[in-house]
PDB file of all heavy atoms in Angstrom:
ATOM      1  N   LEU A 222      -1.890   8.286  10.935  1.00 96.00           N
ATOM      2  CA  LEU A 222      -1.710   8.230  12.441  1.00 96.00           C
ATOM      3  C   LEU A 222      -0.236   8.001  12.724  1.00 96.00           C
ATOM      4  O   LEU A 222       0.283   8.645  13.650  1.00 96.00           O
ATOM      5  CB  LEU A 222      -2.547   6.965  12.981  1.00 96.00           C
ATOM      6  CG  LEU A 222      -2.359   6.709  14.435  1.00 96.00           C
ATOM      7  CD1 LEU A 222      -2.934   7.864  15.358  1.00 96.00           C
ATOM      8  CD2 LEU A 222      -3.038   5.374  14.877  1.00 96.00           C
ATOM      9  N   LEU A 223       0.494   7.164  12.034  1.00 95.00           N
ATOM     10  CA  LEU A 223       1.874   6.962  12.267  1.00 95.00           C
ATOM     11  C   LEU A 223       2.718   8.143  11.910  1.00 95.00           C
ATOM     12  O   LEU A 223       3.748   8.404  12.537  1.00 95.00           O
ATOM     13  CB  LEU A 223       2.397   5.734  11.547  1.00 95.00           C
ATOM     14  CG  LEU A 223       1.801   4.365  11.999  1.00 95.00           C
ATOM     15  CD1 LEU A 223       2.161   3.245  11.010  1.00 95.00           C
ATOM     16  CD2 LEU A 223       2.227   4.025  13.445  1.00 95.00           C
ATOM     17  N   LYS A 224       2.272   8.926  10.871  1.00 95.00           N
ATOM     18  CA  LYS A 224       2.934  10.202  10.624  1.00 95.00           C
ATOM     19  C   LYS A 224       2.754  11.186  11.723  1.00 95.00           C
ATOM     20  O   LYS A 224       3.679  11.881  12.187  1.00 95.00           O
ATOM     21  CB  LYS A 224       2.391  10.827   9.334  1.00 95.00           C
ATOM     22  CG  LYS A 224       2.856  10.076   8.062  1.00 95.00           C
ATOM     23  CD  LYS A 224       2.275  10.822   6.892  1.00 95.00           C
ATOM     24  CE  LYS A 224       2.627  10.124   5.618  1.00 95.00           C
ATOM     25  NZ  LYS A 224       2.017  10.846   4.376  1.00 95.00           N
ATOM     26  N   THR A 225       1.489  11.280  12.278  1.00 95.00           N
ATOM     27  CA  THR A 225       1.196  12.173  13.411  1.00 95.00           C
ATOM     28  C   THR A 225       2.054  11.879  14.637  1.00 95.00           C
ATOM     29  O   THR A 225       2.534  12.710  15.331  1.00 95.00           O
ATOM     30  CB  THR A 225      -0.279  12.036  13.761  1.00 95.00           C
ATOM     31  OG1 THR A 225      -1.067  12.330  12.568  1.00 95.00           O
ATOM     32  CG2 THR A 225      -0.674  13.051  14.873  1.00 95.00           C
ATOM     33  N   LYS A 226       2.256  10.490  14.885  1.00 95.00           N
ATOM     34  CA  LYS A 226       3.096  10.085  16.074  1.00 95.00           C
ATOM     35  C   LYS A 226       4.560  10.222  15.865  1.00 95.00           C
ATOM     36  O   LYS A 226       5.377   9.906  16.711  1.00 95.00           O
ATOM     37  CB  LYS A 226       2.724   8.653  16.342  1.00 95.00           C
ATOM     38  CG  LYS A 226       1.347   8.403  16.962  1.00 95.00           C
ATOM     39  CD  LYS A 226       1.107   6.935  17.356  1.00 95.00           C
ATOM     40  CE  LYS A 226      -0.192   6.765  18.032  1.00 95.00           C
ATOM     41  NZ  LYS A 226      -0.419   5.407  18.540  1.00 95.00           N
ATOM     42  N   GLY A 227       4.933  10.555  14.566  1.00 94.00           N
ATOM     43  CA  GLY A 227       6.349  10.618  14.247  1.00 94.00           C
ATOM     44  C   GLY A 227       7.085   9.293  13.997  1.00 94.00           C
ATOM     45  O   GLY A 227       8.319   9.262  13.881  1.00 94.00           O
ATOM     46  N   ILE A 228       6.291   8.217  13.876  1.00 94.00           N
ATOM     47  CA  ILE A 228       6.861   6.912  13.594  1.00 94.00           C
ATOM     48  C   ILE A 228       7.191   6.811  12.078  1.00 94.00           C
ATOM     49  O   ILE A 228       8.219   6.209  11.764  1.00 94.00           O
ATOM     50  CB  ILE A 228       5.860   5.841  14.055  1.00 94.00           C
ATOM     51  CG1 ILE A 228       5.669   5.841  15.521  1.00 94.00           C
ATOM     52  CG2 ILE A 228       6.364   4.405  13.526  1.00 94.00           C
ATOM     53  CD1 ILE A 228       4.613   4.988  16.074  1.00 94.00           C
ATOM     54  N   LEU A 229       6.419   7.407  11.279  1.00 95.00           N
ATOM     55  CA  LEU A 229       6.687   7.436   9.858  1.00 95.00           C
ATOM     56  C   LEU A 229       7.059   8.894   9.495  1.00 95.00           C
ATOM     57  O   LEU A 229       6.533   9.834  10.031  1.00 95.00           O
ATOM     58  CB  LEU A 229       5.517   7.002   8.981  1.00 95.00           C
ATOM     59  CG  LEU A 229       5.118   5.523   9.086  1.00 95.00           C
ATOM     60  CD1 LEU A 229       3.861   5.320   8.165  1.00 95.00           C
ATOM     61  CD2 LEU A 229       6.174   4.679   8.576  1.00 95.00           C
ATOM     62  N   PRO A 230       8.008   9.113   8.500  1.00 94.00           N
ATOM     63  CA  PRO A 230       8.295  10.460   8.147  1.00 94.00           C
ATOM     64  C   PRO A 230       7.088  11.113   7.289  1.00 94.00           C
ATOM     65  O   PRO A 230       6.259  10.361   6.774  1.00 94.00           O
ATOM     66  CB  PRO A 230       9.444  10.320   7.171  1.00 94.00           C
ATOM     67  CG  PRO A 230       9.443   8.886   6.679  1.00 94.00           C
ATOM     68  CD  PRO A 230       8.763   8.049   7.834  1.00 94.00           C
ATOM     69  N   GLU A 231       7.085  12.389   7.246  1.00 94.00           N
ATOM     70  CA  GLU A 231       6.032  13.115   6.588  1.00 94.00           C
ATOM     71  C   GLU A 231       5.901  12.785   5.045  1.00 94.00           C
ATOM     72  O   GLU A 231       4.809  12.805   4.495  1.00 94.00           O
ATOM     73  CB  GLU A 231       6.141  14.643   6.773  1.00 94.00           C
ATOM     74  CG  GLU A 231       5.634  15.091   8.126  1.00 94.00           C
ATOM     75  CD  GLU A 231       4.211  14.782   8.348  1.00 94.00           C
ATOM     76  OE1 GLU A 231       3.307  14.961   7.419  1.00 94.00           O
ATOM     77  OE2 GLU A 231       3.875  14.270   9.499  1.00 94.00           O
ATOM     78  N   ASN A 232       7.002  12.359   4.497  1.00 95.00           N
ATOM     79  CA  ASN A 232       6.980  12.077   3.043  1.00 95.00           C
ATOM     80  C   ASN A 232       6.656  10.552   2.752  1.00 95.00           C
ATOM     81  O   ASN A 232       6.841  10.134   1.646  1.00 95.00           O
ATOM     82  CB  ASN A 232       8.303  12.502   2.391  1.00 95.00           C
ATOM     83  CG  ASN A 232       9.529  11.705   2.918  1.00 95.00           C
ATOM     84  OD1 ASN A 232       9.486  11.185   4.052  1.00 95.00           O
ATOM     85  ND2 ASN A 232      10.610  11.671   2.162  1.00 95.00           N
ATOM     86  N   ALA A 233       6.320   9.807   3.801  1.00 94.00           N
ATOM     87  CA  ALA A 233       5.966   8.451   3.563  1.00 94.00           C
ATOM     88  C   ALA A 233       4.757   8.270   2.714  1.00 94.00           C
ATOM     89  O   ALA A 233       3.768   9.075   2.839  1.00 94.00           O
ATOM     90  CB  ALA A 233       5.645   7.749   4.978  1.00 94.00           C
ATOM     91  N   ALA A 234       4.788   7.419   1.700  1.00 95.00           N
ATOM     92  CA  ALA A 234       3.710   7.315   0.685  1.00 95.00           C
ATOM     93  C   ALA A 234       3.216   5.846   0.693  1.00 95.00           C
ATOM     94  O   ALA A 234       4.031   4.901   0.757  1.00 95.00           O
ATOM     95  CB  ALA A 234       4.239   7.737  -0.624  1.00 95.00           C
ATOM     96  N   LEU A 235       1.958   5.699   0.577  1.00 96.00           N
ATOM     97  CA  LEU A 235       1.370   4.386   0.508  1.00 96.00           C
ATOM     98  C   LEU A 235       0.878   4.068  -0.957  1.00 96.00           C
ATOM     99  O   LEU A 235       0.295   4.864  -1.647  1.00 96.00           O
ATOM    100  CB  LEU A 235       0.038   4.368   1.411  1.00 96.00           C
ATOM    101  CG  LEU A 235      -0.795   3.080   1.482  1.00 96.00           C
ATOM    102  CD1 LEU A 235       0.045   1.958   2.099  1.00 96.00           C
ATOM    103  CD2 LEU A 235      -2.104   3.358   2.221  1.00 96.00           C
ATOM    104  N   THR A 236       1.191   2.884  -1.352  1.00 96.00           N
ATOM    105  CA  THR A 236       0.732   2.366  -2.685  1.00 96.00           C
ATOM    106  C   THR A 236       0.018   1.031  -2.455  1.00 96.00           C
ATOM    107  O   THR A 236       0.462   0.180  -1.649  1.00 96.00           O
ATOM    108  CB  THR A 236       1.984   2.090  -3.610  1.00 96.00           C
ATOM    109  OG1 THR A 236       2.652   3.353  -3.851  1.00 96.00           O
ATOM    110  CG2 THR A 236       1.546   1.595  -4.965  1.00 96.00           C
ATOM    111  N   ILE A 237      -1.103   0.841  -3.110  1.00 96.00           N
ATOM    112  CA  ILE A 237      -1.911  -0.363  -2.926  1.00 96.00           C
ATOM    113  C   ILE A 237      -2.079  -1.148  -4.251  1.00 96.00           C
ATOM    114  O   ILE A 237      -2.346  -0.517  -5.268  1.00 96.00           O
ATOM    115  CB  ILE A 237      -3.300   0.017  -2.350  1.00 96.00           C
ATOM    116  CG1 ILE A 237      -3.140   0.739  -1.018  1.00 96.00           C
ATOM    117  CG2 ILE A 237      -4.211  -1.242  -2.219  1.00 96.00           C
ATOM    118  CD1 ILE A 237      -4.437   1.363  -0.486  1.00 96.00           C
ATOM    119  N   LEU A 238      -1.758  -2.362  -4.245  1.00 94.00           N
ATOM    120  CA  LEU A 238      -1.853  -3.239  -5.401  1.00 94.00           C
ATOM    121  C   LEU A 238      -2.782  -4.441  -5.151  1.00 94.00           C
ATOM    122  O   LEU A 238      -2.801  -4.920  -4.004  1.00 94.00           O
ATOM    123  CB  LEU A 238      -0.417  -3.823  -5.769  1.00 94.00           C
ATOM    124  CG  LEU A 238       0.674  -2.819  -5.953  1.00 94.00           C
ATOM    125  CD1 LEU A 238       2.014  -3.573  -6.139  1.00 94.00           C
ATOM    126  CD2 LEU A 238       0.460  -1.917  -7.141  1.00 94.00           C
ATOM    127  N   GLU A 239      -3.463  -4.924  -6.118  1.00 93.00           N
ATOM    128  CA  GLU A 239      -4.289  -6.110  -5.967  1.00 93.00           C
ATOM    129  C   GLU A 239      -3.557  -7.239  -6.794  1.00 93.00           C
ATOM    130  O   GLU A 239      -3.169  -6.969  -7.993  1.00 93.00           O
ATOM    131  CB  GLU A 239      -5.649  -5.986  -6.601  1.00 93.00           C
ATOM    132  CG  GLU A 239      -6.555  -5.125  -5.788  1.00 93.00           C
ATOM    133  CD  GLU A 239      -7.929  -4.889  -6.391  1.00 93.00           C
ATOM    134  OE1 GLU A 239      -8.108  -5.242  -7.642  1.00 93.00           O
ATOM    135  OE2 GLU A 239      -8.846  -4.395  -5.693  1.00 93.00           O
ATOM    136  N   ILE A 240      -3.255  -8.386  -6.154  1.00 88.00           N
ATOM    137  CA  ILE A 240      -2.650  -9.438  -6.853  1.00 88.00           C
ATOM    138  C   ILE A 240      -3.623 -10.595  -7.038  1.00 88.00           C
ATOM    139  O   ILE A 240      -4.063 -11.138  -6.126  1.00 88.00           O
ATOM    140  CB  ILE A 240      -1.389  -9.943  -6.087  1.00 88.00           C
ATOM    141  CG1 ILE A 240      -0.373  -8.786  -5.995  1.00 88.00           C
ATOM    142  CG2 ILE A 240      -0.743 -11.117  -6.809  1.00 88.00           C
ATOM    143  CD1 ILE A 240       0.804  -9.153  -5.153  1.00 88.00           C
ATOM    144  N   SER A 241      -4.043 -10.797  -8.291  1.00 83.00           N
ATOM    145  CA  SER A 241      -5.003 -11.818  -8.575  1.00 83.00           C
ATOM    146  C   SER A 241      -4.404 -13.135  -8.869  1.00 83.00           C
ATOM    147  O   SER A 241      -3.812 -13.298  -9.928  1.00 83.00           O
ATOM    148  CB  SER A 241      -5.841 -11.322  -9.753  1.00 83.00           C
ATOM    149  OG  SER A 241      -6.860 -12.268 -10.075  1.00 83.00           O
ATOM    150  N   LYS A 242      -4.453 -14.048  -7.915  1.00 71.00           N
ATOM    151  CA  LYS A 242      -3.715 -15.332  -8.071  1.00 71.00           C
ATOM    152  C   LYS A 242      -4.561 -16.381  -8.791  1.00 71.00           C
ATOM    153  O   LYS A 242      -4.045 -17.102  -9.604  1.00 71.00           O
ATOM    154  CB  LYS A 242      -3.346 -15.992  -6.716  1.00 71.00           C
ATOM    155  CG  LYS A 242      -2.375 -15.098  -5.960  1.00 71.00           C
ATOM    156  CD  LYS A 242      -1.897 -15.778  -4.703  1.00 71.00           C
ATOM    157  CE  LYS A 242      -3.004 -16.381  -3.908  1.00 71.00           C
ATOM    158  NZ  LYS A 242      -2.546 -17.021  -2.610  1.00 71.00           N
ATOM    159  N   SER A 243      -5.863 -16.401  -8.602  1.00 69.00           N
ATOM    160  CA  SER A 243      -6.678 -17.476  -9.161  1.00 69.00           C
ATOM    161  C   SER A 243      -7.538 -17.082 -10.295  1.00 69.00           C
ATOM    162  O   SER A 243      -8.077 -17.948 -11.062  1.00 69.00           O
ATOM    163  CB  SER A 243      -7.450 -18.075  -8.036  1.00 69.00           C
ATOM    164  OG  SER A 243      -8.334 -17.213  -7.449  1.00 69.00           O
ATOM    165  N   ALA A 244      -7.796 -15.737 -10.435  1.00 65.00           N
ATOM    166  CA  ALA A 244      -8.747 -15.343 -11.536  1.00 65.00           C
ATOM    167  C   ALA A 244      -8.080 -15.602 -12.902  1.00 65.00           C
ATOM    168  O   ALA A 244      -6.902 -15.478 -13.044  1.00 65.00           O
ATOM    169  CB  ALA A 244      -9.064 -13.882 -11.418  1.00 65.00           C
ATOM    170  N   PRO A 245      -8.842 -15.979 -13.916  1.00 65.00           N
ATOM    171  CA  PRO A 245      -8.270 -16.214 -15.244  1.00 65.00           C
ATOM    172  C   PRO A 245      -7.688 -14.925 -15.763  1.00 65.00           C
ATOM    173  O   PRO A 245      -8.326 -13.878 -15.672  1.00 65.00           O
ATOM    174  CB  PRO A 245      -9.491 -16.681 -16.042  1.00 65.00           C
ATOM    175  CG  PRO A 245     -10.624 -16.304 -15.301  1.00 65.00           C
ATOM    176  CD  PRO A 245     -10.314 -16.221 -13.906  1.00 65.00           C
ATOM    177  N   VAL A 246      -6.503 -15.022 -16.305  1.00 62.00           N
ATOM    178  CA  VAL A 246      -5.816 -13.752 -16.840  1.00 62.00           C
ATOM    179  C   VAL A 246      -6.269 -13.610 -18.308  1.00 62.00           C
ATOM    180  O   VAL A 246      -6.333 -14.560 -19.048  1.00 62.00           O
ATOM    181  CB  VAL A 246      -4.214 -14.058 -16.781  1.00 62.00           C
ATOM    182  CG1 VAL A 246      -3.564 -12.859 -17.532  1.00 62.00           C
ATOM    183  CG2 VAL A 246      -3.812 -14.086 -15.380  1.00 62.00           C
ATOM    184  N   SER A 247      -6.626 -12.323 -18.585  1.00 68.00           N
ATOM    185  CA  SER A 247      -7.177 -12.034 -19.944  1.00 68.00           C
ATOM    186  C   SER A 247      -6.077 -11.721 -20.978  1.00 68.00           C
ATOM    187  O   SER A 247      -6.384 -11.260 -22.021  1.00 68.00           O
ATOM    188  CB  SER A 247      -8.082 -10.798 -19.803  1.00 68.00           C
ATOM    189  OG  SER A 247      -7.320  -9.747 -19.281  1.00 68.00           O
ATOM    190  N   LEU A 248      -4.796 -12.037 -20.606  1.00 68.00           N
ATOM    191  CA  LEU A 248      -3.674 -11.698 -21.531  1.00 68.00           C
ATOM    192  C   LEU A 248      -2.660 -12.825 -21.497  1.00 68.00           C
ATOM    193  O   LEU A 248      -2.434 -13.446 -20.457  1.00 68.00           O
ATOM    194  CB  LEU A 248      -3.050 -10.432 -21.043  1.00 68.00           C
ATOM    195  CG  LEU A 248      -1.804 -10.000 -21.820  1.00 68.00           C
ATOM    196  CD1 LEU A 248      -2.231  -9.244 -23.043  1.00 68.00           C
ATOM    197  CD2 LEU A 248      -0.831  -9.125 -20.981  1.00 68.00           C
TER     198      LEU A 248
END
């Protein structure tokens, strides 16, 4: 939507990360 409105450039890219703060780490 923001690309369509010209607020974000066409080459804007989204990356999504999950940060697990309380789960036990397996490593």
Side-chain angles (χ1 to χ4, degrees):
L222 176 66
L223 292 171
K224 284 181 183 179
T225 304
K226 290 184 173 183
I228 295 170
L229 291 178
E231 279 303 314
N232 62 338
L235 177 68
T236 300
I237 300 171
L238 307 172
E239 290 177 346
I240 299 177
S241 180
K242 294 189 315 187
S243 58
V246 176
S247 57
L248 178 83

